[in-house]
Amino acid sequence: MYKIKLVPAKTNIPFFKFRLMALVLSSLLVVGSAIMFFGPGLNKGIDFEGGILIEVAMPTAPDLGNMRNSLGGLGLGQVALQTFGSEEDILIRVQRQPGEAKAQEEAVNIIKAQLNSDFGEDISYRRVEFVGPTVSEELVLAAIEAVAVAVFAILVYIWLRFEWHYSVGAVVALVHDVVLTIGMFAVTGIEFNLASVAAILTIVGYSINDTVVVYDRIRENFRRFKKMPVTELINFSINETLARTTITSLTTLLALAALYIFGGEVIRGFATAMIFGVVIGTYSSIFVAAPILTVIGLRHRSEEEDGFQGGDTVDTEAGEKG
């Protein structure tokens, strides 16, 4: 049976030749993302900006796409629909209107009039609430805390499993991925909501998994090839895990592409962030997490003891024989 190989069994791609270019590119992207975040900022959704919540029971299950288009044409800003319980129970979220309580009440009346016009008078309005900026601010802080706690927990885990060099490298790569993903939201103007926070946390998990695979192979090769220069050893380790990294990334992207195409408007922002995150996470595992180990001083123990700063070039075959 013929087996398709996306990546040859043995590759010798000189990733380390591009490490300076990659680090410069990553630095520029991180700075650009920070500028976009503090400049134009994020297109915050109702979850973070506050707004109007209306819980309705429809006489029959509506077409959410048509319902969203109808309410979206009222000029009230962002409109999000969500079913809960049964298909007839709909939660409508509309962004907060400029002005005080009176402006919010007028928006509710406009929405009710449109729904009555589209679906008749048999609609039951079970709940109408106004979400103010205080609650939204609490959600922002909770989201920041969630990401910070996740990154800190990963730092501790990598530190315990490997060495401090690896934990620093992993956290740098994670921060790199998170900042660039937030920058992507700022540049594209995709709505940033709680689903976006979930996407970022998922990207953190995916990225660290990819990085741990590379780090585990680097640590294993450190024990096997005690005389191979560190730069060559890391490059060799990246090539050894390249097939696994490529296949994992491509299969994940296939699933995300299906979500993006068939998942509808509600999930499209999440799928877009995940697609971007998988690409960036794969890139950072190869061009950020691995090369940064040499920047923070990872060396063979014999080199550290002798103050050795270089080494004779040893090819892979020679290292294996040793």
Side-chain angles (χ1 to χ4, degrees), residues 255-266:
L256 291 172
L259 283 177
Y260 181 85
I261 296 170
F262 303 109
E265 191 64 32
V266 175

Side-chain angles (χ1 to χ4, degrees), residues 170-220:
V171 170
V172 169
L174 285 182
V175 172
H176 167 274
D177 297 345
V178 170
V179 171
L180 261 58
T181 303
I182 293 175
M184 182 274 295
F185 276 103
V187 171
T188 60
I190 297 174
E191 180 183 329
F192 191 84
N193 49 33
L194 288 179
S196 305
V197 177
I200 290 176
L201 291 174
T202 308
I203 290 168
V204 167
Y206 180 90
S207 178
I208 195 62
N209 179 68
D210 220 18
T211 300
V212 164
V213 170
V214 176
Y215 278 179
D216 201 41
R217 186 56 57 90
I218 291 173
R219 183 179 62 170
E220 180 183 331

